[in-house]
Amino acid sequence: MTAPILEVRDLGKSFGGLRALSGVSFAVPAGAVFGIIGPNGAGKTTLFNCLSGLLKPSGGQILFEGRRIDGLRPHDICRLGLARTFQIVRPFKGMSVIENVMVASYGRYPASADAERHAFEALRAIAMDHLAGTDAERLSVAEMRRLEIARAIATEPRLLLLDEMLAGLTATEAGALCDQIVELNRRGITIVMVEHSVPVISRMCARSVVINFGSLLAEGATQDVLRDPRVQDAYLGSAAA
Amino acid sequence: MSATIFLQALLSGLTNGAIYALIAVGLTLVFGVMRVVNFAHGEFLMLAMYGGYLAWAHLGVDPVIAVALVVPVLLALGVGLFESLIRPAMKVPEINQMAVTLGLSLLLQYLALMAFKADNLLIVQDRSTASVWIGPVLLQMPHAIAAGAAAVLLLGLYLIMRKTDFGLIMRAVSQSHDGAALSGIDIGRTYRWAMGIGVGTLGVAGPLMASVLYVNPHIGTLFTLKAFVIVIVGGMGSFGGVLLGALLVGVAESVAGVLTTASVAAAVPFALLILVMLVRPEGLLPVGGGARA
Amino acid sequence: MKRFLPALVPAALAAALFGICLGDPYFMDIFILTALMGTIAVAWNLMAGFTGLISLGHSLFFGIGAYVVAYGHVGFGLGPLLTWPLAAALAAAVALVIGLLCFRYGLRGYFFAIATLAFSEVAFLLVSATPWLGRSDGMMMPTEDDAARYLQFMEKWPYGLIVLAFLTATLLVGQHFASSRAGSYWRAIRDNEGAAEALGVPVMRYKLLAFVVSAVLTAVGGAFFASTFSFVDPRSTLGVDLSIQLLVFSIIGGLGLLWGPLLGAALLIPLGEVLRTAMSGFTGVNIVAYSVLLMVMALMLPHGLGGLLKTRLPRPRLGARTAFRQEDAAR
């Protein structure tokens, strides 16, 4: 196994008296497609918000490429090479698709011409370059998801966090998007994905963790994790019932 | 500053504060329920003051009685305001909302100027010069009446918000529009009533204040600004916070008035606002998200 | 060069108007006032329309500009060559402090607006109480022998020329920011701060940038005001009315456009003059008309007259990549 690109140690987050995450530890190997599974309200989005700096953890450490990033501001984390997408996609209004992506590429390329060129490349990587001039508000749901991913990869991350990227997509759209994620991974971006659909996770992710009630339930190879009786009880069993 | 002068300033600060609270509570109710700040709030107070003055000057109605006449008018004006301007304004961006209520504020000021001229008017009765001694300090009768009425009304509003279904609905909508809508609350109706009551409370304050303070067409702006300060100092949308903020502003202003010039004293509420923003940006008694909403 | 068209076209139109007004001192007065207020409104709109930060306290920066020039002249005999840059620097520092305070706590929307209003009110009231700043009576700047060094001219037109240069410079500066990384970040912040931050936008820094640029330009406007009229007082330079006027011009002209506020000022100020003269018997009729217009426009035309005009203008057909550039520039 390669060295971990992301390491989470004993991460905790509480809101007032409510503990949303406690004692979460896991490591993501560089180059992996890594899955995070868990029922609704298990703390997956809170975990992502802590990783990307939108929330400040109450305890524990987050290491990205061996460097502590917990407590850094979101834009600093992004500049370091850790990008994310949001479950609820909201493009910047009144901007075209490429202008949306340029907000992200400006971070590495301050000159407009360079930022534009790299934004265009990000759009091509997710097969959206034909929509570059379209008003972002006029996109379909599936296209908005792609835009969300294009914006994230335009920050040129080495690690990409995808939050429920397939929600609300048809099977065809989801399949196409999954293929593109695999392609991104092949180009060297480590992927961590929160996903509801167990089949998708088991198809795409070699390793996964399961979170329930804010704590880690299981970690390991996805097939083993899914066979774990505690996981079956807590999540899959009740979902199947 | 001698103890007596200080106590005198404290007392007049507290009575002013009670009146401020009555003015600010309507603003905070409207903001809490519909997230709209009404920049014309003070102009409705100005209209209510004229209402009280006219009732006294032309009909010989005592300002205390005039409250019963002015409240329904203001209530209707509030509902009318919601239906005519605020309802459509809730569909446009915040900055356009500001423009709408700022425009209304200007409109009402200049309509009042055309109707009543720029004269300063005051209700003067026998009891205007009467006063009561509270220990070593003096309280003028009109101030006592206005502050007393403010206290009664605030208590009444508090009970309505806490104990009745109507209050529950208001609070539910303040907490979450979507949640309230999902539980079957008629949001539009709630908005209408919030605006009606928010403006209607000024119907109590107006006539009573017309015997405390000269009314002129531009007097409202001052009170709008003070109400903003109070509401933010207290914590937007919090009932107890409004009371605390109002008393604090009233006392600070009045004590500063003794210590320095009138102009500096007038700056005190705003300085207080800046201070509170620095040390407690969520307000003194915040409800929910406070200033970050 | 092409990206500066949205700045150069309005500047050229303003220059043409300057030429027309050259013959008549009364018209020149109106031109000066319109260009000054319109330019400051453009500066205000860099915050409001572009970044989503609505300041109701911009008179503070105008006042800083005006009072630095006036006090520098009256107190120390300093000329504009020194006092104008000083005014700009002081405004930048004040904006930086206020911005840090407000943004650190995430004050937004109404809360930011009212906080800025509070700062300007404190300044207004304190200046009104300060003897060495002339209290509420204001300060008159004496006429000097060395008149040109103090920008004291007998004629109106030199002031018109200065304000024209100020207008052009403001538009160019605004367009420079709007069509570069800053503008892109500003609009992202306006629409969704969280998303912008997650995409690597240093939100705090760019909000401060918008605030400081806007404040500096506004202070230069205030400095110009003092030099032109040789007189400053709290009501005309620090009052809330001034701040609100900036919002009005921007709403009427179009918030989303660099030149929108200029259009608003160019329509409303001369219109106000006409109404005031025509209805001199009825005080306030002009303001009644004005406020009704404001309410109707704010509700019916959220993009202002400029937005309306822009959609009517025929747009050249270009490839997607060039087309977005044009739009970007026009915004």
Side-chain angles (χ1 to χ4, degrees):
Chain A
M1 200 170 100
T2 29
I5 187 167
L6 180 75
E7 210 180 333
V8 176
R9 292 181 188 159
D10 198 26
L11 189 71
K13 174 72 197 173
S14 44
F15 299 100
L18 200 79
R19 293 183 74 107
L21 286 177
S22 65
V24 173
S25 303
F26 63 90
V28 178
V33 179
F34 191 90
I36 296 177
I37 321 173
N40 273 329
K44 292 167 295 179
T45 297
T46 306
L47 174 64
F48 262 27
N49 285 342
C50 287
L51 293 179
S52 57
L54 286 178
L55 289 175
K56 213 178 163 133
S58 325
Q61 299 184 349
I62 302 167
L63 286 91
F64 175 63
E65 296 178 335
R67 178 183 169 168
R68 278 190 69 171
I69 58 164
D70 46 284
L72 292 186
R73 300 290 303 152
H75 63 87
D76 289 325
I77 292 177
C78 178
R79 293 280 169 98
L80 286 176
L82 195 166
R84 71 165 292 175
T85 65
F86 289 87
Q87 189 185 345
I88 299 160
V89 184
R90 272 182 301 181
F92 300 121
K93 279 174 287 183
M95 291 195 202
S96 65
V97 166
I98 192 151
E99 283 177 293
N100 261 273
V101 184
M102 280 171 74
V103 172
S105 61
Y106 266 128
R108 307 237 181 255
Y109 306 98
S112 294
D114 298 341
E116 185 189 328
R117 202 172 54 245
H118 285 88
F120 202 75
E121 276 165 21
L123 284 174
R124 192 154 29 196
I126 200 85
M128 262 193 97
D129 44 331
H130 60 293
L131 293 170
T134 313
D135 193 342
E137 280 169 289
R138 285 198 220 137
L139 298 179
S140 69
V141 178
E143 288 165 345
M144 282 202 192
R145 293 250 182 238
R146 277 164 193 269
L147 171 58
E148 182 80 5
I149 295 168
R151 286 201 305 201
I153 58 180
T155 67
E156 303 193 349
R158 290 182 296 286
L159 175 62
L160 178 59
L161 311 179
L162 300 171
D163 193 357
E164 302 245 357
M165 130 203 100
L166 302 179
L169 300 190
T170 66
T172 327
E173 289 165 345
L177 198 53
C178 284
D179 291 346
Q180 265 140 5
I181 299 300
V182 171
E183 181 56 33
L184 287 177
N185 179 245
R186 198 167 294 152
R187 290 190 202 174
I189 303 177
T190 306
I191 309 274
V192 174
M193 52 195 290
V194 160
E195 203 49 64
H196 222 69
S197 148
V198 173
V200 170
I201 292 279
S202 59
R203 184 157 70 87
M204 294 189 62
C205 309
R207 296 181 69 80
S208 300
V209 292
V210 180
I211 295 181
N212 199 17
F213 297 118
S215 335
L216 207 67
L217 209 59
E219 180 190 6
T222 305
Q223 297 314 321
D224 300 340
V225 162
L226 292 175
R227 272 196 294 272
D228 189 312
R230 285 171 305 170
V231 175
Q232 302 250 324
D233 272 359
Y235 172 51
L236 307 166
S238 62
Chain B
M1 180 164 61
S2 79
T4 317
I5 294 178
F6 176 74
L7 282 178
Q8 185 69 60
L10 190 68
L11 182 68
S12 71
L14 288 175
T15 49
N16 282 344
I19 300 169
Y20 291 166
L22 185 56
I23 297 166
V25 76
L27 192 74
T28 202
L29 176 72
V30 169
F31 179 81
V33 171
M34 44 186 126
R35 295 281 176 262
V36 171
V37 171
N38 179 12
F39 280 84
H41 193 68
E43 273 63 45
F44 286 95
L45 176 71
M46 177 267 292
L47 292 181
M49 287 175 79
Y50 274 113
Y53 177 82
L54 293 177
W56 170 77
H58 295 290
L59 308 171
V61 180
D62 189 283
V64 178
I65 312 289
V67 166
L69 299 175
V70 176
V71 166
V73 176
L74 266 284
L75 201 90
L77 282 177
V79 172
L81 168 66
F82 174 73
E83 293 296 341
S84 61
L85 290 178
I86 305 298
R87 189 195 284 274
M90 291 179 79
K91 297 192 190 82
V92 298
E94 214 166 48
I95 188 167
N96 294 58
Q97 290 175 8
M98 280 188 206
V100 170
T101 59
L102 280 169
L104 181 65
S105 154
L106 270 181
L107 177 68
L108 293 177
Q109 280 181 50
Y110 282 86
L111 285 179
L113 186 66
M114 287 157 74
F116 308 119
K117 305 285 178 284
D119 304 333
N120 284 308
L121 305 171
L122 183 72
I123 298 179
V124 184
Q125 297 165 288
D126 291 341
R127 67 164 184 265
S128 296
T129 48
S131 47
V132 284
W133 285 96
I134 302 177
V137 294
L138 199 62
L139 182 60
Q140 286 175 307
M141 193 56 97
H143 291 77
I145 292 173
V152 170
L153 194 88
L154 286 170
L155 185 68
L157 275 176
Y158 179 76
L159 291 177
I160 289 175
M161 292 302 281
R162 285 285 144 190
K163 305 284 179 198
T164 65
D165 288 352
F166 176 75
L168 184 72
I169 289 175
M170 290 281 171
R171 283 186 291 138
V173 175
S174 306
Q175 296 270 318
S176 159
H177 290 202
D178 298 341
L182 284 175
S183 26
I185 292 173
D186 181 349
I187 299 275
R189 200 165 142 250
T190 313
Y191 286 164
R192 194 181 312 130
W193 277 104
M195 201 83 211
I197 294 175
V199 173
T201 49
L202 299 172
V204 180
L208 299 177
M209 282 180 67
S211 47
V212 172
L213 202 72
Y214 286 97
V215 54
N216 67 55
H218 302 297
I219 195 148
T221 322
L222 182 71
F223 285 98
T224 307
L225 290 180
K226 272 188 199 167
F228 283 155
V229 172
I230 287 163
V231 163
I232 297 182
V233 165
M236 213 56 162
S238 145
F239 203 94
V242 165
L243 193 61
L244 184 66
L247 294 178
L248 210 60
V249 166
V251 169
E253 210 176 37
S254 155
V255 171
V258 177
L259 293 173
T260 64
T261 65
S263 214
V264 175
V268 163
F270 301 105
L272 193 69
L273 168 65
I274 293 166
L275 195 73
V276 167
M277 274 181 11
L278 293 186
V279 291
R280 278 187 70 91
E282 68 279 21
L284 295 175
L285 295 177
V287 163
R292 288 143 216 253
Chain C
M1 204 59 208
K2 208 167 167 186
R3 85 178 167 119
F4 284 108
L5 268 185
L8 292 173
V9 170
L13 286 175
L17 279 175
F18 169 75
I20 293 169
C21 297
L22 209 48
D24 188 322
Y26 173 67
F27 284 163
M28 187 51 78
D29 261 340
I30 296 178
F31 171 81
I32 291 170
L33 189 65
T34 307
L36 174 63
M37 292 305 294
T39 305
I40 297 165
V42 168
W44 179 85
N45 193 41
L46 288 180
M47 277 180 81
F50 285 69
T51 323
L53 297 167
I54 305 159
S55 156
L56 287 180
H58 251 46
S59 61
L60 173 61
F61 304 110
F62 192 84
I64 285 175
Y67 270 90
V68 165
V69 169
Y71 187 66
H73 185 164
V74 174
F76 305 99
L78 299 175
L81 211 58
L82 217 71
T83 50
W84 283 38
L86 211 60
L90 185 60
V94 170
L96 209 59
V97 171
I98 294 179
L100 271 171
L101 290 177
C102 292
F103 303 147
R104 194 153 68 108
Y105 294 117
L107 292 186
R108 269 186 236 154
Y110 282 120
F111 294 91
F112 179 73
I114 293 164
T116 51
L117 181 65
F119 278 104
S120 79
E121 276 296 284
V122 168
F124 173 83
L125 291 163
L126 290 185
V127 169
S128 304
T130 306
W132 50 273
L133 289 177
R135 297 182 192 264
S136 44
D137 300 332
M139 260 192 294
M140 189 73 107
M141 295 150 69
T143 311
E144 304 288 338
D145 297 333
D146 192 5
R149 200 168 75 82
Y150 289 92
L151 295 181
Q152 291 175 332
F153 306 111
M154 295 303 285
E155 307 270 347
K156 292 281 179 203
W157 65 264
Y159 296 113
L161 207 59
I162 296 171
V163 80
L164 184 63
F166 175 44
L167 176 148
T168 309
T170 300
L171 285 171
L172 287 175
V173 167
Q175 182 62 20
H176 164 72
F177 280 113
S179 62
S180 65
R181 174 160 81 168
S184 169
Y185 281 3
W186 286 345
R187 281 180 279 144
I189 292 168
R190 181 192 64 193
D191 281 348
N192 188 342
E193 232 180 276
E197 219 173 9
L199 290 175
V201 175
V203 168
M204 176 67 138
R205 203 177 312 154
Y206 277 84
K207 278 181 168 178
L208 286 175
L209 177 70
F211 202 175
V212 168
V213 169
S214 180
V216 164
L217 290 169
T218 306
V220 173
F224 171 82
F225 178 92
S227 293
T228 304
F229 298 105
S230 288
F231 173 74
V232 296
D233 72 327
R235 188 139 298 284
S236 49
T237 63
L238 279 163
V240 182
D241 303 354
L242 181 83
S243 305
I244 291 174
Q245 267 194 314
L246 303 179
L247 179 135
V248 174
F249 296 148
S250 305
I251 291 268
I252 303 268
L255 287 160
L257 298 157
L258 181 68
W259 45 268
L262 206 55
L263 177 70
L267 291 174
L268 286 183
I269 291 178
L271 183 74
E273 280 298 312
V274 170
L275 277 175
R276 212 175 48 146
T277 338
M279 308 200 203
S280 51
F282 315 88
T283 334
V285 176
N286 55 334
I287 301 191
V288 167
Y290 188 86
S291 50
V292 171
L293 181 70
L294 174 64
M295 286 190 283
V296 171
M297 291 284 297
L299 288 176
M300 304 289 181
L301 273 182
H303 300 292
L305 285 173
L308 203 66
L309 209 66
K310 201 184 137 214
T311 49
R312 292 286 159 84
L313 289 176
R315 255 200 268 166
R317 288 199 58 79
L318 296 158
R321 298 231 290 153
T322 331
F324 89 78
R325 271 233 179 128
Q326 291 282 307
E327 271 181 33
D328 189 45
R331 233 177 250 121

